[in-house]
Every structure is written in C-alpha cells, then in structure tokens.
C-alpha cells in the first residue's frame, strides 16, 4: 500500500542545513562533527516521510551504532513534525528511558527557538502523560503503557525506541503494534544493527514501516549468513564469498529507502568526540584453572547428571566457571535429591567427592575474581572509575563482595578540618535554591531540605577522604580548602574542560534534585527521614552494585535494588563509588560515560549484540575518554582451561566481523569447533570484504 506521507513544509527544516549555527545557539553543548551527521540524518528522515517527496515511505528504521545519538536525531524529527502542527508519540522501553527522552527533547527547545520559527516551548512536551494528544505536541510514554491500553498509538508520527524488544508473535508489545500500529500515519523505529535481530523479528519491524518489498531479499541474505557459520567441509570459499556479497547488495538495495545505519568506525571525523578505543584490550592476567579446580567442575557435572530432576537440566552451568557461590549452592541442593537418584550409592559417593573438592577450592577466592579485583584496584588507585558487567545476578553478587574486600580503605581526612568546617565551606560553594540558572525551573519545592541531605553526604567521611585524594596539597585552613575546591580539577586530570571539584558538585546536585527524576527525589526524601544514601562510603567501601536481586535474597548495603536513576547520576559524576557492578539491566539505553572509560566484561551474555551494547555505555559523545584524551579500554578476562575461556575466545571472533555482516553473526556456543569453522568464515569474508563494505555504505546518509 502506497504511503500517504506527512504534510510537512520543507522550509521548516532548513535550519538542519546549518548545524554549526545550531551548535552555537546551544551554547556549544553540542559538538560540530556529530551534530552535522545527526542533522543530515534527521533531514533525510523528514524527506523520506514527507508527502512532498513524491514517493514517501510509511516509516524509517534508524539502526545506527550504539552511542551515535539516535535519540538526538529522533528528537529533531519529532520537533519538526510538531512544528508543522503534527502530533508525535514517543514510546520508550522503560521509565528511566522515558526521562532521558524528555531531557533530550527539552534540551532542543532553546536552540530551536533561536534557529526556527516554530514557537516551541515546554508546554508542547508531555512527558509521562497519557491524556489526549493535541496538534503540535510531543508525548513521551513507555512500551508498557501501550500494552496496558493507557496509550493510543493514533498520531501523526509514532517513534518507537529499542523496537527490537517487540520480540516474537507472543510478545504483548509486538501484538499491540501489529493490531494498532496502523493508527499512526508514520513511524520512526530506533533499533539494533539489522541482521543482529532474529529474522522473524526483523521481518516484523519491516512490516511495521511498510517495507514488505524488502522481506524476500532480507530472508535470502539472512539464510546465507546462517549457512556461513555452519561447518561444512569442502565448500567453495570463493563462490560463497561472491554469493554473500551478491545477497548483501540485493538486500541493502531493497532496504535502503527504509533503513539508515552508520557505524562509529566509519566516522573518522567524529571519533575524537566518542573517545578512541585502545588498540589492545585491557589484559587482565588470570591464573589458569588448577587440576583441583578442573576436578571440581568435572565432579559437579557428574553429580548433577546423577541427581537431576529432568533430562533437560544444565549440568555444566557457565556460572560454575566464574565463581564459587552458585556452584556451592547447587552441590548443597543435590543433598535432598540423593535418595531419589537411580544410582543412589554412586550419587552419594559423587556428592561426597564433589563436596570435599569444593572445600579445598573455596579456601581461596575464585582465581578469576581475585585477578579482576586486583586489576580494578590498581586502576581505582590511579583515580579511574570502572564499570563491570555480569550476566547473572549470583555472579554479580559474589564479585561485588570480592571487590568490596579488595578496595576497602579506611576513610581519612588529612586536612584535620573536620566535618563541621567542611560543611561550612560546601554550603558556600554549593548552589542555593534562589540562584538563577538553567536548573532553577526544575527544582522541587523542598529543594532546601534536599540540599541538606546532599550536604550530609558530601561532607561524610568517605566522600571527604575521596576529595582530599584529588587535592594537590593538604589545605592548612578553611580558606585554603575553599580555594582548592574552586580551582582543582577532579580526579587529578589537568585537561581543559574537566570540571573543578566545586563545579562537579553543583552539577551532581542539580542532577539529583531534578524534578523529572521522581524515583531519585523519593529516595532523597527517605534519606532525610533516616534511610541510607546509596554510595555512602563511610566504611571505606568504594563499590556499588545495581540490579534487582532474586526474591528472598539477602543483599549487602552496597547493592542498590531500586530504580537506577540515582546510581546513574552518581556514576556519571566524579564523586561516590569508583566501581559499579551491574547486570545487563543497565546495558541498553543508559549513559555511563561521563566519568568512566574502563569497562570489564566479567561474564558474557551469549549475544554479541549485548556485548556491543555494554561497550556503548562508555563510548558516547562527550565521554570521559574524549574529555581527558585517554583511550577507552575494554577487558575480557578469561579463566583458561574452562568453558569461560572458550566463550571469551568465540565472542572476540564474533565481534571482529559483526559490523561487516551488519550484525549477522550467531550467538556464542562453547560447544562449536571454532578453529576450523572460523578459518572458513575468515576466508569467505576476505573474498567479500570490499564489496560488503561498499554495500553497507549505501545505508548511510551522505
């Protein structure tokens, strides 16, 4: 069915032809090179959706690499449509991302007022509200509200963020989109790299935007990608390479009216704004598994086979290879099943042997955990923050405990000025509620009380000790300390643009008391009533965990289990815990790059997409790496001799060809024969490489 197109006046987005003036109007908050590409992309999307195009499309799928600013592009498109008296609905994946969308949309209001004739103001933005959507308005809501029937998708432009979460025909979000998506006149879908999505999901997304004509070519290329990674002896490598290039060209030719994609490595002019990735990964040497540790894994595998309840239970759980706690709990759980085992006597002996071997192994920390904790400690001592991802909550909890022990220090304030004097000084340096400023309009009515809560934390023994480690000398009195806080840049960094300690404290305070972050405000008010501040370091603990624990699990004080907004604000500041341990709860759509350039993949998700999404948390415009002109470093520690080492090895191979194949690589399977298969894949890609790169560039905006 031919798309109707949106009634847009092309003259209304002429400002997109002058991104440099827009950067100036934003107070140079935006960087030139990324903004130029984002503006060109927004203009292209508007052109494709516009009725004046002559051949408009119903929707566009924006599949840029993580960190390239898909939200910025979509926000510009949204405001142009609203400026043409259209109405726009944005569906974010969750409440945290809903707030991020509102912030992004609001950030463009002032520069748009200077560079366009839309007459936009904050009244046009309805964040979180689900009432009637009037012309000229932008409403931000969530996937869940669409599923719950609180949001009607009827609008001129429907923007769906992280649309690949509409997985499978049984998914409620997908079902609602299938049933009601046609109520939107046009769609802009933000999603992951095209062929990293399962074929069925990709076909559904193409159907949403009216790209049914591309499905046949996409299916043919996806099938060949699947065949590429299968081990087939005797195949003609040259012929397969040529065929792969041919199906890629055909698929991209069909996709090009509907899909736009840029890869960060294809944008050399922009790299300095994201931060360069170190040429070599951050190597963390881990002692290989000992004979005793391998014996424990083998004995546990045998025990679980003898006592498993059903035939489908895993007996070689990946968690067994990266920590002791889960393995210990599984061995203990078999005690109740011994009497029901078919070979009870053998199972009993196997249980006793596994338990004995476990007792020998747990006399020391797990080798991988100990090595990673030591490596992180050395980077923290050099004034760095470190982000650590785990795939399982049990592993994350054990690692958090190990890191807490390794990094704990006794808080010490060598100035000798005491908490009372520090509070007097910070009271004079911290912005007061009556001050004018861009954040003033977003302060809640009880900001004075919340300021006292923040001052309590800022003057606590742990934070005082942290700040004094950044000072070039020990202040002899209060005036000297005041001057040092005003003039010293955070974390021993000398570069221009790195904030001073006082500037960073004010920025963090404004972030925490932003009235749009209801979960953080609620938490701050509970702290005022006696609750604990997340990231309090009074006991010398410099770590913080953030995930939702299993029900009934006892969790430590340094694990934050609520909404992650306050954790994100703290970690994006120089203050607070130096190490954040989290699960993939924070791997998608979250900015963690403002004060961190080091990331450890302690435990991998099988999907290469997830690994790249994690990496994108710290490789973004305005990153700490770009600000300090230091490289971004990713670590993939491995426990040699185990499945963990094999998973890391296979993941690295997958990542090497991910961009070239537009994400068309399989998940990690540690059972596969990597060497022979990958050798075959490498030869095929060598044949097709130049043609694949040329084809991929057709999805970019030039």
């Amino acid at each position: 069915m031919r798309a109707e197109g949106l009634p847009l006046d092309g003259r209304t987005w002429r400002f997109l032809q002058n991104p440099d003036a827009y950067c100036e109007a934003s107070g140079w908050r935006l960087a030139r090179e990324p903004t130029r590409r984002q503006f060109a992309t927004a203009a292209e999307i508007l052109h494709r959706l516009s009725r004046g195009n002559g051949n408009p499309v119903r929707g566009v799928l924006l599949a840029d690499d993580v960190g390239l600013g898909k939200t910025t592009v979509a926000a510009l498109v949204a405001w142009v449509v609203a400026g043409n008296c259209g109405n726009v609905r944005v569906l974010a994946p969750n409440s945290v991302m809903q707030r991020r969308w509102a912030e992004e949309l609001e950030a463009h209001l002032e520069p748009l007022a200077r560079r366009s004739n839309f007459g936009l103001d904050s009244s046009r933005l309805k964040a979180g509200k689900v009432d009637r959507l009037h012309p000229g308005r932008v409403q931000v809501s969530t996937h869940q509200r669409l599923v719950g029937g609180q949001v009607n998708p009827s609008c001129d432009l429907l923007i769906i963020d992280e649309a690949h979460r509409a997985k499978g025909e049984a998914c409620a979000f997908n079902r609602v989109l299938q049933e009601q998506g046609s109520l939107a006149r046009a769609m802009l879908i933000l999603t992951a790299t095209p062929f990293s999505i399962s074929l069925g999901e990709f076909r559904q997304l193409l159907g949403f935007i009216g790209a049914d004509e591309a499905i046949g070519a996409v299916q043919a290329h996806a099938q060949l990608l699947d065949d590429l990674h299968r081990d087939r002896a005797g195949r003609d490598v040259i012929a397969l390479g040529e065929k792969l290039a041919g199906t890629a060209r055909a698929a991209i030719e069909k996709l090009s009216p509907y899909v736009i994609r840029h890869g960060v490595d294809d944008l050399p002019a922009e790299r300095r704004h994201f931060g360069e990735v170190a040429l070599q990964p951050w190597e963390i040497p881990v002692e290989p598994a000992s004979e005793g540790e391998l014996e424990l894994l083998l004995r546990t595998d045998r025990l679980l086979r003898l006592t498993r309840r059903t035939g489908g239970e895993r007996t070689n759980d990946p968690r067994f290879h990266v920590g002791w706690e889960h393995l210990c709990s599984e061995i203990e759980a078999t005690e109740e099943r011994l009497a029901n085992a078919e070979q009870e006597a053998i199972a009993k002996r196997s249980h006793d042997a596994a338990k004995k071997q476990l007792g020998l192994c747990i006399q020391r920390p797990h080798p991988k955990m100990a090595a990673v904790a030591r490596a992180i400690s050395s980077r923290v001592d050099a004034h760095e923050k470190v982000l650590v991802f785990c795939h399982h909550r049990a592993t994350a909890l054990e690692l958090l405990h190990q890191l807490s022990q390794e990094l704990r220090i006794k808080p010490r304030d060598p100035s000798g000025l005491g908490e009372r004097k520090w509070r007097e000084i910070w009271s004079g340096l911290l912005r007061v509620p009556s001050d004018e400023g861009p954040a003033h309009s977003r302060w809640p009515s009880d900001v004075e009380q919340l300021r006292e809560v923040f001052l309590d934390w800022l003057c606590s023994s742990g934070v005082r000790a942290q700040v004094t480690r950044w000072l070039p000398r020990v202040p002899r009195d209060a005036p000297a300390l005041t001057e040092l806080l005003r003039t010293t840049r955070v974390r021993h960094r000398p570069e221009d643009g790195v904030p001073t300690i006082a500037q960073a404290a004010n920025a963090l305070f404004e972030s925490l008391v932003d009235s749009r972050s209801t979960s953080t405000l609620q938490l701050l008010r509970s702290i005022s009533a006696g609750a604990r501040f997340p990231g309090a370091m009074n006991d010398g603990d410099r770590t913080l965990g953030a995930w939702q624990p299993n029900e009934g699990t006892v969790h430590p004080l340094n694990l934050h289990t609520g909404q992650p907004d306050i954790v994100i604000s703290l970690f994006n500041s120089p203050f607070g815990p130096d190490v954040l341990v989290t699960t993939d709860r924070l791997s998608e759509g979250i900015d963690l790059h403002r004060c961190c350039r080091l990331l450890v993949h302690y435990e991998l998700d099988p999907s290469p997409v997830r690994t790249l999404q994690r990496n994108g948390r710290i490789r973004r415009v305005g990153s700490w790496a770009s600000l300090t002109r230091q490289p971004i470093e990713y670590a993939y520690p491995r426990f040699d001799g185990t499945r963990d080492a094999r998973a890391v090895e296979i993941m690295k191979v997958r990542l090497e060809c991910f961009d070239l194949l537009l994400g068309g690589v399989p998940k990690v399977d540690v059972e596969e024969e990597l060497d022979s298969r990958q050798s075959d894949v490498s030869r095929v890609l060598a044949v097709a490489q130049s043609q694949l790169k040329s084809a991929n560039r057709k999805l970019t905006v030039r």
Side-chain angles (χ1 to χ4, degrees):
M1 184 175 69
R2 183 181 176 86
E4 178 185 356
L6 297 177
L8 304 176
D9 184 345
R11 293 171 295 182
T12 60
W13 72 77
R14 282 181 181 170
F15 71 92
L16 293 173
Q17 298 172 6
N18 194 353
D20 290 2
Y22 193 88
C23 289
E24 184 177 4
S26 73
W28 298 109
R29 180 183 61 85
L30 304 172
R32 275 198 182 96
E33 289 84 356
T35 301
R36 289 169 181 167
R37 188 246 319 148
Q38 291 163 351
F39 272 43
T41 304
E44 178 63 24
I45 292 171
L46 289 163
H47 173 72
R48 295 185 189 189
L49 297 178
S50 174
R51 186 180 299 170
N53 172 15
N55 188 28
V57 297
R58 183 173 185 273
V60 173
L61 193 153
L62 180 58
D64 282 351
D65 260 353
V66 292
L68 290 187
K70 293 190 287 287
T71 306
T72 298
V73 172
L76 291 166
V77 172
W79 282 130
V80 170
V81 173
N84 278 266
C85 296
N87 53 23
V88 182
R89 294 187 193 275
V90 179
L91 296 179
N94 51 50
S95 58
V96 175
M97 287 304 299
Q98 175 182 285
R99 179 191 167 195
R100 299 291 180 269
W101 267 97
E103 290 173 351
E104 182 68 38
L105 286 159
E106 188 172 329
H108 289 281
L109 286 173
E110 186 175 344
L112 276 172
R114 297 182 184 179
R115 300 302 307 170
S116 70
N117 297 317
F118 292 149
L120 299 174
D121 57 47
S122 58
S123 67
R124 302 282 197 101
L125 177 61
K126 305 296 180 183
K129 296 183 179 180
V130 291
D131 51 2
R132 183 179 177 184
L133 183 57
H134 296 280
R137 301 290 195 273
V138 178
Q139 182 192 87
V140 186
S141 193
T142 63
H143 293 189
Q144 189 57 43
R145 283 185 168 174
L146 177 69
V147 172
Q150 298 165 284
V151 172
N152 183 341
S154 177
C155 59
D156 291 306
L157 177 63
L158 181 64
I159 299 176
I160 306 174
D161 193 13
E162 309 291 0
H164 51 278
R165 296 195 182 192
K167 292 183 177 179
E169 294 181 1
C171 172
F173 183 51
N174 174 74
R175 187 176 63 252
V176 175
L177 286 178
Q178 292 278 19
E179 294 171 354
Q180 303 182 31
S182 60
L183 296 176
R185 295 176 69 179
M187 279 192 184
L188 173 56
I189 291 179
L190 315 186
T191 191
T193 306
F195 288 96
S196 66
I197 311 168
S198 75
L199 177 60
E201 293 160 15
F202 192 22
R203 289 178 59 177
Q204 288 168 0
L205 294 183
L206 292 175
F208 293 154
I209 60 175
D212 301 86
E213 64 177 286
I215 290 175
V218 164
Q219 187 161 338
H221 185 54
Q223 182 61 56
L224 193 59
L225 287 172
D226 187 46
D227 292 343
L228 173 66
H229 292 282
R230 292 178 180 171
D231 193 8
R232 293 184 176 178
R235 57 184 177 182
D236 187 332
V237 168
I238 294 177
L240 184 56
E242 293 291 344
K243 186 177 180 181
L244 181 68
T247 59
R249 284 195 302 271
I252 288 172
E253 186 69 30
K254 292 291 188 180
L255 288 172
S256 57
Y258 307 95
V259 178
I260 294 174
R261 169 173 164 74
H262 301 92
V264 65
D265 291 326
D266 299 323
L267 303 169
E270 296 186 33
R271 286 182 194 167
R272 65 186 179 90
H273 298 288
F274 297 94
E276 293 283 0
V277 176
L279 295 177
Q280 297 297 327
W282 173 13
E283 292 293 345
I284 298 179
V286 179
E287 182 182 333
S290 67
E291 289 185 8
E293 288 154 355
L294 292 175
E295 180 183 342
L296 171 61
L297 293 173
L298 290 172
R299 289 191 179 281
T300 303
D301 180 71
R302 176 166 173 73
L303 172 63
L304 293 177
R305 288 179 187 275
L306 289 168
T307 59
R308 59 185 171 187
R309 291 176 288 263
T310 65
E313 291 179 75
R314 285 193 299 186
T315 61
N316 200 357
D317 194 309
R319 287 170 284 186
F320 296 166
H321 301 252
V322 293
W324 297 138
E325 292 296 330
H326 185 66
L327 189 148
C328 183
S329 64
E330 287 295 299
I331 290 177
E332 289 179 358
T334 62
E335 292 184 11
E336 300 176 0
R337 305 198 296 268
L338 289 175
N340 298 322
E342 290 185 9
Q343 304 177 61
E344 182 181 350
I346 296 175
K348 180 69 168 61
R349 288 197 298 272
S350 180
H351 171 269
D352 292 344
K355 196 166 184 178
K356 179 181 178 181
Q357 193 61 41
L358 176 64
L360 295 173
C361 289
I362 63 175
Q363 291 179 14
R364 64 170 188 160
H366 190 279
K368 181 173 177 177
M369 286 198 174
V372 168
R374 288 192 299 269
I376 288 176
S377 179
S378 68
R379 305 308 290 266
V380 168
D381 288 342
H383 307 289
E384 297 281 3
K385 283 198 170 191
V386 183
L387 175 61
V388 185
F389 275 105
C390 293
H391 184 49
H392 297 97
R393 288 174 285 192
T395 306
L397 188 60
E398 186 177 352
L399 180 59
L400 181 63
H401 175 71
Q402 181 67 34
L403 284 164
S404 296
Q405 290 187 319
E406 182 74 33
L407 274 72
R408 193 181 301 275
I409 59 173
K410 185 176 180 180
R412 190 175 68 88
D413 175 11
S415 72
L417 294 175
E419 181 178 349
R420 183 177 176 181
K421 186 59 66 175
W422 275 78
R423 191 181 188 89
E424 290 177 7
I425 294 168
W426 272 123
S427 294
L429 293 174
L430 197 64
R431 185 189 301 277
V432 295
S434 58
D435 285 349
E436 294 298 325
H440 178 67
S441 61
R442 297 195 296 271
W443 275 332
S445 58
D446 59 346
V447 67
E448 285 274 15
Q449 182 181 354
L450 301 180
R451 184 173 182 268
E452 294 303 309
V453 173
F454 182 69
L455 281 169
D456 287 343
W457 177 77
L458 198 59
C459 299
S460 63
S461 60
V463 178
R464 292 203 321 269
Q466 180 180 55
V467 170
T468 55
R469 289 195 294 273
W470 304 339
L471 301 178
R473 58 188 176 276
V474 177
R476 63 186 182 277
D477 52 29
L481 177 57
T482 303
E483 184 61 20
L484 286 174
L485 295 177
R486 280 193 179 126
T487 59
T488 304
R489 300 189 192 279
V490 298
R491 294 190 168 262
H492 276 274
R493 298 309 312 174
E495 295 85 5
D496 291 340
V498 174
T500 66
I501 297 171
Q503 289 170 339
N506 276 288
L508 176 57
F509 174 61
E510 291 177 3
S511 172
L512 293 176
V513 300
D514 191 318
S515 59
R516 294 171 298 189
S517 181
T518 55
S519 66
T520 300
L521 291 176
Q522 184 178 357
L523 181 57
L524 291 175
R525 287 162 184 149
S526 70
I527 293 168
S528 177
R532 188 175 188 272
F533 199 111
M537 302 186 293
N538 292 347
D539 57 358
D541 192 348
R542 297 181 286 173
T543 63
L544 181 62
W547 66 86
Q548 202 73 41
N550 294 323
E551 190 173 344
T553 302
V554 178
H555 56 84
L557 291 175
N558 61 339
L559 173 59
H560 181 70
T561 62
Q563 287 293 325
D565 293 65
I566 192 167
V567 172
I568 295 166
S569 294
L570 286 173
F571 196 70
N572 273 324
S573 83
F575 303 96
D578 298 301
V579 180
L580 174 60
V581 180
T582 188
T583 61
D584 287 311
R585 179 191 188 196
L586 298 187
S587 69
E588 215 171 351
I590 302 295
D591 293 346
L592 295 168
H593 64 298
R594 298 294 182 188
C595 205
C596 177
R597 64 180 186 88
L598 305 175
L599 187 151
V600 178
H601 295 276
Y602 185 81
E603 192 184 20
L604 292 167
D605 181 287
S607 170
V609 179
R610 184 67 71 188
T611 301
L612 291 171
Q613 286 172 331
R614 291 175 175 184
N615 289 347
R617 297 315 99 217
I618 63 171
R619 194 183 189 190
R620 311 181 78 78
V621 175
S623 69
W624 182 250
S626 65
L627 191 63
T628 60
R629 296 188 282 281
Q630 299 178 96
I632 292 169
E633 297 182 49
Y634 303 123
Y636 301 86
R638 46 189 282 168
F639 191 27
D640 282 338
T642 72
R643 292 165 62 98
D644 176 64
R646 190 157 186 78
V648 172
E649 181 184 3
I650 296 171
M651 179 61 75
K652 287 184 176 180
V653 169
R654 296 281 191 268
L655 296 178
E656 287 174 0
C657 54
F658 187 91
D659 282 339
L660 191 64
L661 297 177
L662 292 179
V665 297
K667 292 183 177 181
V668 170
D669 177 5
V670 295
E671 304 298 339
E672 71 178 70
E673 293 297 325
L674 178 67
D675 295 339
S676 61
R677 188 179 305 181
Q678 185 53 37
S679 177
D680 230 16
V681 171
S682 297
R683 291 198 299 271
V684 171
L685 294 183
V687 172
Q689 184 172 13
S690 62
Q691 296 181 68
L692 288 172
K693 285 185 176 180
S694 176
N696 293 347
R697 281 195 290 270
K698 292 182 179 179
L699 296 179
T700 65
V701 173
R702 294 183 291 275

